[in-house]
């Protein structure tokens, strides 16, 4: 533990009783110090144990919430499949009838009513398709994807969308190949929906900026539009099923996008402010080999 020293300016002889008393004091002092150290170690252990318990509790709650969500989605899937099946058959009959009437020479007022009915039937069919798509489990057909090539090929399709007319979609590619492991068809669905939303949020002549950035073992793809900012209280709800800020929106588009991204072990985030507009970020895991190559290139 240490040493106890005693000194005197004059010659002094210590008796055996005094030495025994000092030795006893030293032993008691050492015991007290040792006990205090043990108490400190116990306190540190208790704090670590408490922190670990909190961490495990949070993880357990997250796992329980995920399990409940999976069970809920499974139940929704079964129910949706049954309802959609029951609705699709009569809806198909209705659409066939409307198509037949569209070939007839009808008065203008009847044509207007027919057009409205046809559009509403089509919107209902789209809603049923999205309900089925959301309720189904995301089964991925994974393959290696080079993001620059993937986006460049997708841009041709995006520019031809009606919503993209008179808007510029500017993609800034990475200066070297970047590879991820993903389902090309489902990721195409993700970015078509995000770009369409961005185009609908801005006026003709505006620019949609699509950029990439590198995070630790993650690729971040950002889609930015300069439209009016989204209300802060609406941002957390945008990916919830059946929540939409659009008058004719189904509220399933971003919910489906989020499920696809999370199935790729990625994440989706949305921010919106007055100076920057709305920025949607999709983070996807990089292939390990691709990540190491990019890190080495930056180091050089």
């Amino acid at each position: 533990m240490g040493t106890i020293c005693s000194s005197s300016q004059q010659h002094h002889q210590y008796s055996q009783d005094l030495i025994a008393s000092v030795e006893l004091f030293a032993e008691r002092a050492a015991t007290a110090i040792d006990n205090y150290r043990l108490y400190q170690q116990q306190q540190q252990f208790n704090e670590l144990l408490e922190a670990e318990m909190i961490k495990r509790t949070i993880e357990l709650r997250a796992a329980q919430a995920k399990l409940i969500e999976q069970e809920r989605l499974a139940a929704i899937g079964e129910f949706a499949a049954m309802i959609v099946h029951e609705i699709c058959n009569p809806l198909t009959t209705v659409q066939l009838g409307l198509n037949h009437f569209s070939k007839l020479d009808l008065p203008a007022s009847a044509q207007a009513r027919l057009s409205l009915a046809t559009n509403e039937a089509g919107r209902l069919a789209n809603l049923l398709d999205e309900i089925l798509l959301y309720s189904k489990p995301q089964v991925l057909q994974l393959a290696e994807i080079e993001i620059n090539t993937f986006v460049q090929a997708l841009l041709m399709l995006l520019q031809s969308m009606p919503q993209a007319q008179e808007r510029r979609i500017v993609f800034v590619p990475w200066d070297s190949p970047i590879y991820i492991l993903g389902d090309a068809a489902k990721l195409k669905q993700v970015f078509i929906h995000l770009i369409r939303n961005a185009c609908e949020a801005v006026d003709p002549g505006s620019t949609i900026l699509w950029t990439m950035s590198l995070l630790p073992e993650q690729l971040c793809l950002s889609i930015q539009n300069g439209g009016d900012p989204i209300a802060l209280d609406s941002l957390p709800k945008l990916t919830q099923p059946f929540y939409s800020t659009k008058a004719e929106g189904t509220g399933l588009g971003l919910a489906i996008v989020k499920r696809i991204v999370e199935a790729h072990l990625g994440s989706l985030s949305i921010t919106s402010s007055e100076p920057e507009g709305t920025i949607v970020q999709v983070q996807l895991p990089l292939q390990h080999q691709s990540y190491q190559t990019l890190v080495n290139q930056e180091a050089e």
Side-chain angles (χ1 to χ4, degrees), residues 99-106 111:
N99 290 335
H100 173 74
F101 283 118
S102 66
K103 300 174 183 179
L104 301 178
D105 185 15
L106 300 175
Q111 286 284 0

Side-chain angles (χ1 to χ4, degrees), residues 71-104:
E71 292 176 349
R72 186 178 71 87
L73 288 175
I76 289 175
E78 292 181 11
F79 180 72
M82 180 182 66
I83 295 297
V84 169
H85 177 72
E86 292 297 324
I87 295 176
C88 277
N89 289 336
L91 178 61
T92 301
T93 304
V94 171
Q95 287 180 308
L96 289 173
L98 292 174
N99 290 335
H100 173 74
F101 283 118
S102 66
K103 300 174 183 179
L104 301 178

Side-chain angles (χ1 to χ4, degrees), residues 110-209:
Q111 286 284 0
R113 291 178 179 275
L114 177 61
S115 176
L116 177 61
T118 302
N119 291 337
E120 289 301 297
R123 194 159 71 91
L124 179 57
N126 290 335
L127 175 60
L128 295 176
D129 289 341
E130 288 192 349
I131 290 174
L132 273 181
L133 187 60
Y134 177 75
S135 60
K136 287 180 179 178
Q138 295 296 326
V139 180
L140 304 180
Q141 303 295 324
L142 297 176
E144 187 178 76
I145 300 173
E146 200 287 301
I147 288 295
N148 289 315
T149 305
F150 172 79
V151 175
Q152 293 286 6
L154 186 57
L155 281 174
M156 298 177 62
L157 173 63
L158 295 172
Q159 293 286 6
S160 64
M161 293 191 308
Q163 297 85 350
Q165 299 307 305
E166 300 183 29
R167 278 92 170 163
R168 294 179 64 240
I169 303 173
V170 177
F171 171 63
V172 182
W174 200 259
D175 54 7
S176 60
I178 300 182
Y179 294 92
I180 66 167
L181 203 61
D183 187 317
K186 290 189 179 295
L187 289 178
K188 185 182 293 185
Q189 179 184 345
V190 165
F191 291 112
I192 287 175
H193 184 85
L194 295 180
I195 292 294
R196 183 170 62 238
N197 279 0
C199 290
E200 290 175 345
V202 297
D203 297 325
S206 301
T207 298
I208 309 300
L209 184 60

